[in-house]
């Protein structure tokens, strides 16, 4: 079974600084998708960024970028120019193309942003 | 355009009771998935429905069931509630059965079993 591990229960960053959240996953598959979701206190999970495993280029969405290391099974999220609104729980998720449409989530990292 | 709507937002039930949670997907989305998020953990997949048919089931007991209606809304039913069923139940919709582009989630129903 696939597993997703987020080893940092909590992270803290100063406003305007950069922070990196870690995620590792375990799979024997070669084709899959990876996602980062943000969950603010409103509880709604919001898609931040996605990465297809077959793409070598790291995905970027404005201030958010990933460092995808397929051989190491690592998928970290970098947030640049952190803003107070970035404070939330962040979840890494994995989808195996050959095992239905379920997402497997990690345990989450709570990001705090200091003014 | 309305997002994914879930009702109720909060619910308190007693052990052994039954509960029904409801979800309306984004207009035009035909697939609904349900996830359980226990406090302090990531969401866990329960079901996916597409065009009223079950397309996936997670590792949950038979006390959990769901269905999808012709208008693509969905209900999640849980029988014989246990204290461990206390969680945030998230509904997510997607255009089709394949979730390559991620879901759109609702804000969830917070279920407390006492």
């Amino acid at each position: 079974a696939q597993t997703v591990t987020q080893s940092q229960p909590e992270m803290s960053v100063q406003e305007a600084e950069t922070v990196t959240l870690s995620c590792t996953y375990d799979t024997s598959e070669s084709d899959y998708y990876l996602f980062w979701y943000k969950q603010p206190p409103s509880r709604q999970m919001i898609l931040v960024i996605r990465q297809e495993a077959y793409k070598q280029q790291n995905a970027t969405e404005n201030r958010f970028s990933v460092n995808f290391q397929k051989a190491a099974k690592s998928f970290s999220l970098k947030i640049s120019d952190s803003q107070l609104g970035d404070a939330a729980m962040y979840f890494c998720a994995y989808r195996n193309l050959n095992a239905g449409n379920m997402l497997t989530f990690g345990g989450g990292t709570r990001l705090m942003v200091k003014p | 355009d309305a997002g994914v709507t879930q009702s109720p937002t909060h619910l308190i039930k007693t052990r052994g009771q039954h509960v029904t949670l409801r979800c309306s997907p984004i207009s035009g989305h035909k697939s609904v998935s349900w996830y359980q998020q226990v406090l302090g953990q990531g969401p866990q997949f329960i079901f996916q429905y597409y065009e009223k048919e079950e397309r996936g089931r997670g590792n949950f007991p038979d006390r959990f069931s769901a269905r999808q209606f012709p208008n693509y809304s969905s209900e999640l039913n849980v029988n014989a509630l246990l204290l461990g069923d206390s969680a945030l139940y998230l509904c997510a919709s997607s255009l089709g059965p394949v979730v390559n582009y991620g879901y759109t989630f609702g804000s969830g129903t917070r279920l407390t079993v006492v």
Side-chain angles (χ1 to χ4, degrees):
Chain A
Q2 289 85 19
T3 58
V4 178
T5 303
Q6 295 178 247
S7 59
Q8 307 152 316
E10 279 191 5
M11 291 285 285
S12 181
V13 63
Q14 203 72 35
E15 196 176 5
E17 297 295 310
T18 296
V19 65
T20 298
L21 308 184
S22 301
C23 172
T24 58
Y25 55 95
D26 182 25
T27 183
S28 57
E29 303 293 330
S30 59
D31 288 328
Y32 49 87
Y33 287 84
L34 296 165
F35 305 86
W36 277 99
Y37 277 90
K38 169 185 178 181
Q39 188 177 40
S42 66
R43 308 182 319 200
Q44 184 180 16
M45 301 280 281
I46 301 165
L47 179 63
V48 174
I49 200 165
R50 63 186 283 272
Q51 174 82 41
E52 295 95 327
Y54 66 86
K55 288 188 176 179
Q56 293 187 338
Q57 186 174 6
N58 289 323
T60 300
E61 288 287 342
N62 301 313
R63 299 183 294 108
F64 299 88
S65 61
V66 299
N67 183 5
F68 173 48
Q69 301 289 329
K70 191 172 184 179
K73 297 178 185 175
S74 170
F75 183 60
S76 60
L77 175 69
K78 185 171 85 171
I79 306 174
S80 304
D81 185 26
S82 296
Q83 301 175 0
L84 295 178
D86 294 334
M89 286 292 295
Y90 285 81
F91 291 94
C92 177
Y94 162 96
R95 182 192 161 227
N96 176 0
L97 270 61
N98 297 317
N101 292 297
M102 60 177 268
L103 294 184
T104 300
F105 285 86
T109 296
R110 179 175 302 281
L111 177 66
M112 294 173 287
V113 181
K114 298 176 181 177
Chain B
D1 239 358
V4 178
T5 57
Q6 292 187 243
S7 63
T9 55
H10 295 85
L11 200 53
I12 299 176
K13 288 286 190 178
T14 303
R15 274 178 298 175
Q17 284 188 317
H18 163 270
V19 69
T20 297
L21 310 181
R22 295 178 175 83
C23 171
S24 293
I26 289 175
S27 177
H29 283 195
K30 298 181 178 180
S31 177
V32 169
S33 297
W34 289 94
Y35 284 78
Q36 180 196 63
Q37 186 178 17
V38 172
L39 191 63
Q41 298 180 18
Q44 278 197 296
F45 175 75
I46 310 176
F47 288 110
Q48 183 198 17
Y49 275 79
Y50 174 71
E51 292 281 15
K52 295 174 289 182
E53 290 188 0
E54 183 181 300
R55 287 297 192 102
R57 173 185 284 255
N59 188 24
F60 279 81
D62 292 343
R63 299 184 296 107
F64 288 77
S65 63
R67 55 178 176 168
Q68 187 176 33
F69 299 99
N71 66 353
Y72 304 112
S73 67
S74 178
E75 283 182 355
L76 175 70
N77 295 284
V78 187
N79 292 324
L81 285 166
L82 303 175
L83 294 180
D85 295 331
S86 295
L88 179 67
Y89 288 84
L90 294 165
C91 173
S93 78
S94 57
L95 192 60
V98 178
V99 194
N100 293 345
Y101 292 90
Y103 299 110
T104 301
F105 281 88
S107 295
T109 294
R110 170 76 65 194
L111 172 66
T112 302
V113 183
V114 298

